[in-house]
Amino acid sequence: MNQAYGVVAVTSVVVASGLIGALGLRISRTTSDFYVASRSVPPRLNAAAISGEYLSAASFLGIAGLVLSQGVDMLWVPVGYTAGYLVLLALVAAPLRRSGAYTLPDFAEARLESTVVRRITSILVVVVGWLYLVPQLQGAGLTLGLVTGAPGWTGALIVAVVVALSVAAGGMRSITFVQAFQYWLKLTALLVPALFLLLAWQGDPSARTALDQPPAFRDHTRVRVDDTVRVRVHEQLRVSVDGRAHQAAVLLLQPGVHRVDTGTTLHFPVRARVAGRSEDTTAPARGSRGSDASPREDKGHSLYATYGLILATFLGTMGLPHVVVRFYTSPDGRAARRTTVVVLGLVGAFYLLPPLYGVLGRIYTPELLLTGNTDAVVLLLPERLIGGVAGDLLGALVAAGACAAFLSTASGLTMAVAGVLSQDVLPSPRTGHFRLASLIAVAVPLAVYTLVPGIPVAKAVGLAFAVSASSFCPLLVLGIWWRGLTAAGASAGLLTGGGAALTAVALTMTESVGTGWPRTLSAWPAVWSVPLAFLTMILVSLADRRGAPLHTDAIMARLHLPEPPANHSPAARGRRLTTDEDPTAGSPTP
């Protein structure tokens, strides 16, 4: 990638986002503007903003990387991401808006009249937000590293600072305009290069037939391994090796798993089948070079993993804090439903494009399967397939879209987490405290990213979805549609389901489990943690002698009856700010 073009493209995105945010800041006059844009965002603008923050680095980079590494079986991933909005539309969107809440903890307290449930919900919102922020910083480090050649942590730090400052300065109304702009930029950044890539692919007859074959090197290819890996060789392979252990040696690798040390350079002949990375650390290494076996090679584990991620994405969408907070900005429940319908169209259109990059990457960038840097396929394809000035310009456009992807999602997540921190953790819900909370919201995931830098972007997002599905999905579905839910049942379900999923995530991220089923169950916990949470909430609520909260009938009526035309919906019982508060004041005005 031409670094000069890339730097200009990324800088332009940051500057344009800042200017648009400044425009939104000029029209933010109240604290309600700051937190929920005064609940006045029209459906089309709101849908574009939701799509902008939802389509993260995992969507822009990670899905293409999954298709590259594991083939078309991964096409169900964008299906799960999109289908989650069907559940949101049918069960949650309008009632959640009618609740009058600012945040998920607001809803929990209003529905169950319990500060304990509110505190548990607040903790889980912050944890899910931080889990989701880590892969955004991962994508930032990857993109800016390729564009500028700087270390990954530098890009993550720059993005963290930009996001924290923009959120602290502008609030929700400012971020709304920025994220709507970033959605259309992301769609353009994938669509325009994709048209040129398809034309170039159609003009290459040998590439058209390569789609039906396993990934192979089309030319003599030199691959440098920067981290020690294990690679799986599928057939006998002769390679030239440069490294500390071998100087210009020629090795004949037999089928199996081999270890490749850091700093080794492999030279592959024409039409050599790509040796892919393996995660099978139990297989004996043959010689001094080799690959990892993917857990997907075990058909039973593969099927379970598929169900696990589908269930997590399908049910986890409704509890993502940066998505849920957007529905509080709709004027009423009807507008919230219309917003969700438009989101389905915008998100569905976007998800047609990343798999195309993954499929073409299997032909033109197969070495990424060996290095493991598959998330970079979207950034590398324009230069590899088109080349010249046109390839450099298209690569810069893609880099701009990737920058918009992690900026928009990171901004939305920071906004949601900071809102909860400022209302439930810091002493009082002041706007000044919100700005402090914005800094805290990005500082923690930045620290986690430096400690756990190697998790694939899409996988890290899948873990965040699993925690959301195991905690907020049962709370929202039962809280909206079952009057028998009690505070004790909700607390027990949140702690059981969310705690189980969080434990599984911690074990996965720290690689504390071995291989086989224990590792698979911890990597894809939604299959068992979501039913566990639902069952716990229902059984404990039925056994709770105190029964449903006193004002359950009133809150259920508010959730399900249409609002009056003037939208005089009462505020929820949780702590929140009124629409006539001054955003520059030190404390809210009653």
Side-chain angles (χ1 to χ4, degrees):
M1 177 180 293
N2 187 298
Q3 292 188 353
Y5 291 168
V7 169
V8 171
V10 169
T11 304
S12 299
V13 172
V14 174
V15 172
S17 299
L19 292 176
I20 296 172
L23 172 65
L25 180 60
R26 289 172 63 102
I27 59 177
S28 293
R29 296 183 175 85
T30 68
T31 305
S32 183
D33 278 337
F34 205 82
Y35 279 96
V36 287
S38 290
R39 306 189 192 275
S40 61
V41 182
R44 291 183 181 179
L45 176 61
N46 209 9
I50 291 173
S51 302
E53 67 181 356
Y54 183 67
L55 298 171
S56 63
S59 298
F60 199 93
L61 302 175
I63 288 178
L66 284 175
V67 173
L68 167 60
S69 62
Q70 301 182 24
V72 294
D73 290 346
M74 293 295 100
L75 291 178
W76 50 259
V77 177
V79 172
Y81 285 154
T82 307
Y85 279 96
L86 289 174
V87 182
L88 193 63
L89 172 64
L91 300 179
V92 173
L96 189 63
R97 169 58 189 91
R98 296 188 190 113
S99 71
Y102 276 101
T103 62
L104 268 175
D106 279 344
F107 169 80
E109 185 179 16
R111 170 63 179 86
L112 297 166
E113 302 176 15
S114 168
T115 56
V116 174
V117 177
R118 181 189 181 98
R119 291 192 187 103
I120 297 172
T121 306
S122 298
I123 293 171
L124 288 171
V125 166
V126 172
V127 170
V128 170
W130 281 343
L131 272 176
Y132 212 139
L133 270 167
V134 171
Q136 308 317 310
L137 299 178
Q138 180 97 358
L142 172 65
T143 302
L144 297 184
L146 286 174
V147 169
T148 65
W153 65 266
T154 305
L157 177 61
I158 292 173
V159 168
V161 171
V162 170
V163 167
L165 292 178
S166 62
V167 171
M172 180 61 78
R173 187 173 292 279
S174 175
I175 292 300
T176 296
F177 293 110
V178 173
Q179 290 172 335
F181 156 73
Q182 288 168 338
Y183 167 78
W184 293 109
L185 174 59
K186 284 185 282 189
L187 184 64
T188 302
L190 283 185
L191 179 59
V192 173
L195 298 176
F196 286 91
L197 294 175
L198 284 175
L199 290 175
W201 172 66
Q202 284 293 319
D204 187 354
S206 63
R208 293 201 298 271
T209 60
L211 285 177
D212 300 326
Q213 306 297 325
F217 295 106
R218 294 161 53 84
D219 302 298
H220 290 282
T221 304
R222 175 179 177 271
V223 180
R224 176 180 171 83
V225 178
D226 294 324
D227 297 302
T228 298
V229 297
R230 299 169 71 85
V231 297
R232 179 170 294 277
V233 176
H234 299 277
E235 57 190 20
Q236 191 177 79
L237 178 64
R238 187 181 301 274
V239 297
S240 299
V241 180
D242 296 329
R244 289 173 296 184
H246 297 277
Q247 294 298 328
V250 177
L251 296 182
L252 184 64
L253 301 182
Q254 299 298 328
V257 176
H258 302 263
R259 174 180 167 181
V260 179
D261 293 329
T262 302
T264 300
T265 300
L266 303 177
H267 299 264
F268 291 90
V270 178
R271 291 187 293 276
R273 185 173 174 182
V274 178
R277 286 172 65 114
S278 171
E279 297 177 3
D280 183 8
T281 57
T282 63
R286 304 185 182 184
S288 59
R289 302 288 181 261
S291 160
D292 272 29
S294 169
R296 292 184 54 81
E297 293 180 5
D298 183 316
K299 298 303 182 183
H301 293 194
S302 172
L303 182 62
Y304 174 88
T306 300
Y307 288 141
L309 190 50
I310 287 178
L311 192 62
T313 54
F314 194 72
L315 299 179
T317 299
M318 71 174 67
L320 295 178
H322 62 305
V323 171
V324 171
V325 74
R326 276 282 164 204
F327 289 96
Y328 304 140
T329 66
S330 297
D332 51 39
R334 182 170 178 268
R337 281 203 177 100
R338 290 178 58 195
T339 297
T340 310
V341 172
V342 179
V343 168
L344 278 168
L346 295 179
V347 170
F350 178 90
Y351 278 134
L352 294 174
L353 299 173
L356 172 64
Y357 284 81
V359 171
L360 292 178
R362 292 176 70 84
I363 303 173
Y364 294 100
T365 58
E367 73 278 1
L368 297 179
L369 294 170
L370 176 58
T371 64
N373 198 20
T374 53
D375 290 334
V377 60
V378 174
L379 302 168
L380 296 178
L381 267 180
E383 179 185 19
R384 185 69 55 84
L385 187 52
I386 299 172
V389 176
D392 290 338
L393 291 174
L394 291 174
L397 178 59
V398 172
C403 179
F406 49 71
L407 278 177
S408 58
T409 303
S411 298
L413 288 165
T414 302
M415 182 77 206
V417 172
V420 171
L421 289 175
S422 64
Q423 293 193 49
D424 294 287
V425 177
L426 297 178
S428 62
R430 299 181 178 181
T431 305
H433 285 165
F434 176 86
R435 295 189 171 106
L436 173 61
S438 300
L439 301 178
I440 299 173
V442 294
V444 172
L446 181 62
V448 173
Y449 163 73
T450 59
L451 296 175
V452 192
I455 296 181
V457 172
K459 183 176 181 179
V461 169
L463 296 175
F465 270 83
V467 177
S468 174
S470 305
S471 52
F472 301 133
C473 171
L475 175 67
L476 289 170
V477 171
L478 295 178
I480 290 173
W481 296 100
W482 184 41
R483 71 174 309 280
L485 181 67
T486 67
S491 299
L494 288 170
L495 291 174
T496 302
L502 279 172
T503 301
V505 167
L507 292 174
T508 301
M509 295 184 72
T510 58
E511 299 183 354
S512 300
V513 289
T515 58
W517 276 111
R519 180 173 184 171
T520 304
L521 290 171
S522 67
W524 314 105
V527 172
W528 53 270
S529 59
V530 173
L532 179 64
F534 269 102
L535 187 62
T536 302
M537 284 192 185
I538 293 172
L539 293 180
V540 174
S541 294
L542 292 175
D544 186 6
R545 295 183 178 181
R546 290 172 296 181
L550 180 64
H551 300 94
T552 296
D553 290 338
I555 186 65
M556 294 295 284
R558 184 199 309 171
L559 294 177
H560 294 284
L561 294 178
E563 302 94 330
N567 191 28
H568 295 305
S569 59
R573 291 180 176 272
R575 279 187 297 154
R576 61 182 59 86
L577 305 176
T578 57
T579 57
D580 58 351
E581 292 168 341
D582 181 0
T584 62
S587 59
T589 304

